[in-house]
Amino acid sequence: MSTATDFTEGRIFPKLIKFMLPILGALVLQAMYGAVDILVVGQFGTSEGISAVSTGSNLVNMVTFTAAGFTMGVTILMGRYIGEKRQDRLGRVIGGAICFFLVLSLVITAVMLIFARQLAQMMQAPAEALDSTVTYVMICGGGILFIMAYNFISSIFRGLGNSKLPLIFVGIACAVNVVGDLLFVAVFKMNVAGAALATVMAQAVSVVLSILIIRKQKLPFTLKREDIRFNEEVPRIIKVGAPIAVQELLTQLSFLALCAFINKLGIAQSSGYGVANKLVAFIMLVPSSLMQSLASFVAQNFGAGKEKRARQTMLCGMAIGCTVGVVISLLAVFAGDYMSMIFTPEPAYIKQSAAYLLGFSLEPIVTSILFSFIGYFNGHSQTLFVMIQGLSQTFLVRLPMSYIMSIQPDASLTMIGLAAPSATIFGIILNLVYFIWYSKKLRRTQPELEH
């Protein structure tokens, strides 16, 4: 391991920032996928196309985040083995993961192609946007293998402490997606189908080029032919990654339910929420990049027996996230309408988007605290608790509050948006309680750790 990718030594802040920034850059570019789709369809497509892309991309995001949850199992396991100086296990981790993710992607593709209409109806897609939503889901469903492959390849390099190559991979995909959107939607007038086709094409190009780039890299492990099978590392990947994936799946299902609640309010609210959702994707990038960075950082330190450094990393992440979060929250409150204008010229949609952002505005601050806790616990392979706390805040606070607000006679997207930070604050309380208990457990059961 080079000093740049060894997180067990040196000053925490500069190393964390250096590792986090490429992850943040990659997440920014990933968020641009859906944002560019909405932007181009909003400018060159039809008005119902915005609702279709919003609803359809929520379904695709559900699959993407679920896949990313499983790939986190690869990242965490690799970081743990590196911290323990057991690099000889890395090839078997990757070989087993290749088989697992291939089968998983084929199953998901079949489900999305066969049940595309039922999924769109479940989302309560507005009648005028139903067929377009089905088209978007089916085309993107056909490209799930590429989405899975990108997340898997990126997880390998993050597990090795290299966050720069995933940034390059997603940068390639984003550039292809922009060109594809302009070509298929603006020039060929393919509307929603063009946006979906551009997304799939971009992922395919990214995966092919990333494989070519990987072959030229000097890697700290060897992948043998006999490693590529369902070996003993697969259950370990599933044990660590499955709770994260289940949480992501059910959380994304809750967002689909929220989308369905809002779709019932009308096309203006549906499209306005779609615009706000694309802005929210950018707003949440710093907390998300912190969570991914901390998982790798903490996994290495925990494997090396440096628990005190792992906790210091978590606190450093909270400080970084909250500092940035305050700025973003102020923008959401005072400039929500101006930000919404980027994606649509429709005054009604802009008004509804700004209303949702107002209620949501505290989320960038509190989520930075919550996601730093989650990154810490993921790095310790405490993913079962992460799943439980995530589902608790989603199904005990966010969904019930959103539903109650959506059925009021004067239903407001501001009040619906307020459900998100309310649920996050509840999650922080759960994580703080567990952190106190878990710290005592470590001192009792693993006294050899550096406390």
Side-chain angles (χ1 to χ4, degrees):
M1 295 290 292
S2 69
T3 56
T5 56
D6 183 357
F7 300 145
T8 62
E9 302 290 344
R11 293 173 58 203
I12 293 173
F13 178 79
K15 280 204 168 187
L16 181 58
I17 288 292
K18 187 175 181 179
F19 183 63
M20 172 189 160
L21 286 178
I23 294 178
L24 176 61
L27 290 175
V28 168
L29 293 176
Q30 279 185 311
M32 286 179 64
Y33 276 111
V36 169
D37 287 349
I38 288 280
L39 177 62
V40 175
V41 171
Q43 298 295 329
F44 301 103
T46 60
S47 58
E48 63 269 17
I50 295 178
S51 177
V53 172
S54 172
T55 304
S57 61
N58 277 329
L59 281 165
V60 175
N61 285 342
M62 177 184 70
V63 175
T64 302
F65 287 125
T66 302
F70 274 113
T71 60
M72 277 295 292
V74 177
T75 298
I76 293 166
L77 202 57
M78 290 180 68
R80 183 79 173 269
Y81 285 151
I82 288 170
E84 294 172 351
K85 310 300 182 186
R86 299 167 70 191
Q87 282 90 338
D88 57 299
R89 304 291 294 271
L90 300 181
R92 297 182 67 78
V93 172
I94 295 167
I98 289 173
C99 297
F100 173 71
F101 288 117
L102 177 60
V103 172
L104 182 62
S105 62
L106 293 176
V107 171
I108 294 173
T109 296
V111 170
M112 292 187 70
L113 291 177
I114 295 170
F115 300 105
R117 183 164 293 274
Q118 290 86 339
L119 290 169
Q121 291 171 335
M122 179 189 73
M123 289 286 295
Q124 300 291 327
E128 57 268 47
L130 179 60
D131 288 340
S132 296
T133 304
V134 173
T135 298
Y136 189 92
V137 172
M138 290 190 70
I139 294 175
C140 288
I144 289 300
L145 179 63
F146 300 116
I147 294 174
M148 195 78 74
Y150 163 75
N151 281 283
F152 171 54
I153 292 170
S154 296
S155 73
I156 293 173
F157 284 97
R158 286 171 186 151
L160 294 172
N162 184 338
S163 58
K164 294 178 181 178
L165 278 179
L167 173 61
I168 294 172
F169 302 154
V170 75
I172 294 168
C174 191
V176 175
N177 187 55
V178 171
V179 173
D181 271 331
L182 292 173
L183 180 65
F184 296 139
V185 180
V187 178
F188 294 152
K189 307 298 181 184
M190 294 174 66
N191 200 27
V192 174
L197 186 61
T199 297
V200 172
M201 183 179 71
Q203 291 282 5
V205 171
S206 175
V207 169
V208 171
L209 291 180
S210 67
I211 292 173
L212 295 176
I213 293 171
I214 287 170
R215 294 182 65 181
K216 297 182 179 296
Q217 298 298 308
K218 198 171 183 179
L219 302 174
F221 64 87
T222 55
L223 179 63
K224 303 173 184 176
R225 188 185 299 273
E226 57 266 28
D227 290 333
I228 306 176
R229 61 184 179 84
F230 282 92
N231 55 45
E232 73 280 0
E233 298 295 347
V234 174
R236 296 188 178 104
I237 293 170
I238 295 173
K239 183 179 178 181
V240 176
I244 303 175
V246 170
Q247 180 201 343
E248 289 291 355
L249 173 62
L250 295 179
T251 300
Q252 291 302 314
L253 283 173
S254 75
F255 288 140
L256 298 187
L258 174 58
C259 186
F261 298 159
I262 294 173
N263 281 344
K264 286 184 175 181
L265 299 178
I267 192 72
Q269 288 86 345
S270 172
S271 296
Y273 173 69
V275 170
N277 226 15
K278 297 309 173 188
L279 290 167
V280 165
F282 285 99
I283 288 172
M284 299 302 290
L285 292 180
V286 170
S288 296
S289 60
L290 274 172
M291 180 176 66
Q292 292 187 27
S293 304
L294 287 171
S296 298
F297 219 103
V298 171
Q300 279 195 28
N301 282 283
F302 182 59
K306 298 188 175 183
E307 177 58 24
K308 181 179 179 181
R309 184 176 172 87
R311 291 198 301 269
Q312 290 173 339
T313 302
M314 179 187 72
L315 295 174
C316 183
M318 290 180 180
I320 295 169
C322 287
T323 301
V324 178
V326 169
V327 176
I328 297 175
S329 293
L330 290 173
L331 287 173
V333 172
F334 297 107
D337 51 350
Y338 295 106
M339 292 191 293
S340 302
M341 289 178 187
I342 298 171
F343 296 101
T344 178
E346 291 289 333
Y349 299 171
I350 292 171
K351 179 181 178 182
Q352 295 295 336
S353 174
Y356 182 84
L357 292 174
L358 181 61
F360 184 86
S361 58
L362 189 62
E363 185 75 345
I365 301 173
V366 293
T367 300
S368 294
I369 299 173
L370 177 66
F371 279 19
S372 294
F373 269 126
I374 291 174
Y376 170 84
F377 288 127
N378 282 341
H380 285 80
S381 299
Q382 296 297 301
T383 53
L384 182 59
F385 165 73
V386 170
M387 179 187 76
I388 293 171
Q389 66 84 32
L391 299 183
S392 297
Q393 56 171 300
T394 296
F395 292 99
L396 295 180
V397 181
R398 182 181 290 114
L399 268 186
M401 184 174 174
S402 298
Y403 176 72
I404 291 170
M405 294 302 174
S406 72
I407 61 174
Q408 300 304 309
D410 54 346
S412 161
L413 290 193
T414 297
M415 296 308 295
I416 294 174
L418 190 60
S422 300
T424 300
I425 292 170
F426 176 71
I428 290 173
I429 295 171
L430 293 180
N431 276 267
L432 182 59
V433 171
Y434 189 78
F435 176 76
I436 294 171
W437 175 85
Y438 184 68
S439 296
K440 291 179 179 178
K441 179 186 175 184
L442 284 180
R443 290 190 182 96
R444 186 175 64 253
T445 59
Q446 299 187 50
E448 72 278 4
L449 289 180
E450 179 187 303
H451 294 288

